[in-house]
Amino acid sequence: MSELHSHHNVDANEYDIAIVGGGMVGLALANVLASVLPGDLVGMSRGARDSRESRASKELQSLRIVVIDAGAPSVLDLSSIDPRVIALSKSNEALFDRIGVWEKIQSARACPYFDMHVWDGDGTADIHFGSGSVLAHEENLGHIVENKVIVNALLENLSGIEILFNTCVESYSRGPDGGEVESQSVANRQPDKTLLTLNNGEEISASLVIAADGANSRLREMTNINVREWDYGHTAIVSTIRTEKPHGFTAWQRFSTNGPLAFLPLTLDGEDQHHCSIVWSIDHKVAEEAMALDDDAFCRRLTSEFEAKLGRVEHTQKRMSFPLKQRHATRYVVPGIVLVGDAAHTIHPLAGQGANIGLYDIDVLAEEIQRAVRRGIPMSDPSIGKRYERRRQTHNLLAMSAMEGFKGLFGSDDLVVRWLRNEGLRTVSAVPWLKKQFSKLASGRV
């Protein structure tokens, strides 16, 4: 990793790909591209595959890629637990394994969960499934991993790609071939290149710019892409808590008319089973009241809301809260710029799937970039973004609709809806095929 300082040579500021945002999704994409993984070589004869693979590898390795991150170049302190976690899906575990970071993540801190227990706090129905009974070929349902553990592993693993820290994009413009122009500067502007003006006054150009700068993406705003937005009327409270009884490597989720409450298992030293990450999505007013409580009163409230399934909540670390909105960009692509992750879509944290969906995005985009390289298609070609958009937008809409449906079903205090969801949970629990489908959704396999 190296930082870019002032350049007198324009060429040094020219890149094939610029990734704006150095969070989990942006760094994962940089790692995938750096790891050189030609994807569609299956089915060729060995000789043809070897020669095509080595040609593709050389081409991919010759791409100039830069990551632009607003943060400072620091290794995150892992002695404290990050209240923000992801229930990492098996397919994203496989992605991390492929790029060589999964071992790093596991050796730092990752808690497997073998069972999931979901119940209706306003009824009597519940559903419980384990990795053995439902997904016989899997040793677990997934892992609960802190965001900062993943970011650290991705940063440590990254090589051959430049990172500009403490850097933001102030404006962008496209070459004479068209596209939206946000900057009056025409210096160094070229056809098929996007010119980014940075907060330090420098300009860099890239054939393909990827916006991975989060839910409040500045780059998305600059492109004037419309975003459909729904306010859930909920605030999410996240924290790390200690419970009286061990969590048993089980992910717990209780639904009530106030909103869902999840206890996600954590291990601090591989042995301790008394810590959980909580995600509590509740009405704004209830959240305000809960955030105003002192730690002891908050722990008592959590114990009650969770029906003391793990005994008393004995301790809570610092609480964070944020309003929940569902956003979906109407387009993922404008000339020269592609949106990924939260810049393209944000989703209710009901099943911990938000970051998983962002990682699915970058896996597909990386495939399209690799495909273009193998076919000699330049990075500025609009087909890369369009193919990615076509493959991801529908899937993301479906996932968002599923979460919206879940929230509507479990957030209603209508007696008929409550009866339906109780019957629904009972049916799912009684029918093995349905139970298997539910477990796939819950563990991020859809």
Side-chain angles (χ1 to χ4, degrees):
M1 291 186 294
S2 61
E3 238 179 303
L4 191 66
H5 299 289
S6 61
H7 292 283
H8 302 294
N9 180 355
V10 172
D11 290 347
N13 284 7
E14 285 180 20
Y15 296 90
D16 297 293
I17 297 171
I19 300 169
V20 180
M24 188 193 303
V25 168
L27 287 175
L29 176 59
N31 271 273
V32 173
L33 294 175
S35 67
V36 188
L37 301 164
D40 64 5
L41 304 169
V42 183
M44 290 186 183
S45 73
R46 172 138 195 174
R49 191 165 67 237
D50 285 350
S51 94
R52 183 104 166 249
E53 195 165 53
S54 102
R55 197 165 64 248
S57 295
K58 284 198 184 92
E59 288 290 330
L60 278 162
Q61 284 168 338
S62 71
L63 288 178
R64 283 203 76 208
I65 301 172
V66 64
V67 176
I68 300 168
D69 187 41
S74 57
V75 174
L76 300 165
D77 174 21
L78 296 187
S79 63
S80 64
I81 297 176
D82 188 345
R84 294 162 309 156
V85 301
I86 171 178
L88 196 66
S89 70
K90 300 305 275 184
S91 52
N92 283 330
E93 276 180 27
L95 168 70
F96 284 155
D97 194 38
R98 227 165 66 218
I99 60 178
V101 296
W102 182 233
E103 270 186 30
K104 286 183 169 71
I105 288 167
Q106 281 187 298
S107 64
R109 201 157 53 227
C111 184
Y113 60 103
F114 303 97
D115 296 275
M116 184 168 266
H117 195 114
V118 179
W119 78 100
D120 184 353
D122 299 316
T124 53
D126 71 345
I127 181 169
H128 175 262
F129 49 84
S131 47
S133 61
V134 181
L135 303 158
H137 62 293
E138 301 283 14
E139 61 182 50
N140 55 55
L141 289 169
H143 285 77
I144 307 299
V145 193
E146 299 150 62
N147 286 19
K148 71 179 178 184
V149 168
I150 295 174
V151 168
N152 260 10
L154 290 167
L155 264 174
E156 280 175 18
N157 195 60
L158 195 58
S159 62
I161 287 183
E162 206 160 3
I163 298 193
L164 311 186
F165 290 107
N166 299 314
T167 306
C168 303
V169 175
E170 294 291 333
S171 63
Y172 87 95
S173 59
R174 284 283 289 164
D177 64 321
E180 288 108 50
V181 173
E182 291 288 330
S183 162
Q184 296 311 304
S185 165
V186 290
N188 310 330
R189 197 182 299 160
Q190 304 160 44
D192 296 336
K193 288 271 189 183
T194 298
L195 190 74
L196 302 176
T197 304
L198 308 178
N199 57 339
N200 59 5
E202 281 196 47
E203 291 180 333
I204 65 170
S205 68
S207 301
L208 177 61
V209 176
I210 295 154
D213 53 343
N216 299 310
S217 167
R218 288 181 67 190
L219 203 48
R220 183 191 65 221
E221 281 176 24
M222 289 176 206
T223 62
N224 296 320
I225 289 176
N226 288 325
V227 178
R228 294 201 183 97
E229 193 170 293
W230 301 264
D231 192 322
Y232 283 116
H234 270 191
T235 292
I237 296 177
V238 296
S239 186
T240 304
I241 52 122
R242 190 177 68 234
T243 56
E244 181 185 1
K245 294 177 183 172
H247 53 58
F249 297 101
T250 298
W252 308 78
Q253 189 136 20
R254 176 190 187 263
F255 289 97
S256 76
T257 48
N258 271 342
L261 170 61
F263 275 42
L264 305 172
L266 295 171
T267 44
L268 298 192
D269 53 15
E271 299 293 324
D272 169 63
Q273 286 186 46
H274 291 265
H275 283 82
C276 291
S277 177
I278 63 146
V279 185
W280 191 13
S281 309
I282 40 176
D283 296 341
H284 296 316
K285 192 169 186 317
V286 183
E288 265 180 53
E289 291 162 5
M291 286 298 285
L293 297 172
D294 65 28
D295 283 357
D296 287 344
F298 181 74
C299 288
R300 286 196 298 274
R301 178 73 193 273
L302 267 188
T303 302
S304 160
E305 285 285 335
F306 200 64
E307 299 175 20
K309 289 279 187 194
L310 297 176
R312 282 192 333 278
V313 174
E314 297 177 335
H315 175 72
T316 177
Q317 292 186 9
K318 185 182 171 193
R319 288 166 260 162
M320 291 168 62
S321 71
F322 45 92
L324 293 176
K325 288 188 165 112
Q326 178 167 294
R327 295 183 187 90
H328 198 222
T330 53
R331 295 182 286 165
Y332 290 4
V333 185
V334 294
I337 297 179
V338 174
L339 309 183
V340 295
D342 282 357
H345 44 76
T346 57
I347 190 169
H348 196 285
L350 198 60
Q353 294 310 307
N356 278 317
I357 292 171
L359 291 169
Y360 301 150
D361 285 352
I362 62 101
D363 202 16
V364 167
L365 181 56
E367 273 181 29
E368 292 303 336
I369 288 169
Q370 291 159 9
R371 175 186 175 277
V373 165
R374 280 193 296 277
R375 285 162 173 69
I377 297 167
M379 286 298 101
S380 55
D381 193 285
S383 69
I384 298 171
K386 283 176 181 163
R387 285 174 61 92
Y388 152 76
E389 181 181 62
R390 198 161 55 241
R391 290 176 64 186
R392 289 302 304 152
Q393 200 167 32
T394 308
H395 182 280
N396 291 341
L397 272 169
L398 285 171
M400 293 168 95
S401 301
M403 289 304 108
E404 190 64 24
F406 262 106
K407 185 191 170 291
L409 180 62
F410 285 101
S412 174
D413 57 2
D414 183 283
L415 281 172
V416 176
V417 176
R418 278 165 64 176
W419 179 83
L420 281 171
R421 75 180 178 234
N422 268 276
E423 287 308 302
L425 278 179
R426 281 197 196 93
T427 304
V428 167
S429 207
V431 180
W433 179 84
L434 274 177
K435 199 168 174 178
K436 190 167 189 170
Q437 298 314 305
F438 189 92
S439 76
K440 283 183 174 180
L441 174 72
S443 52
R445 287 170 175 78
V446 293

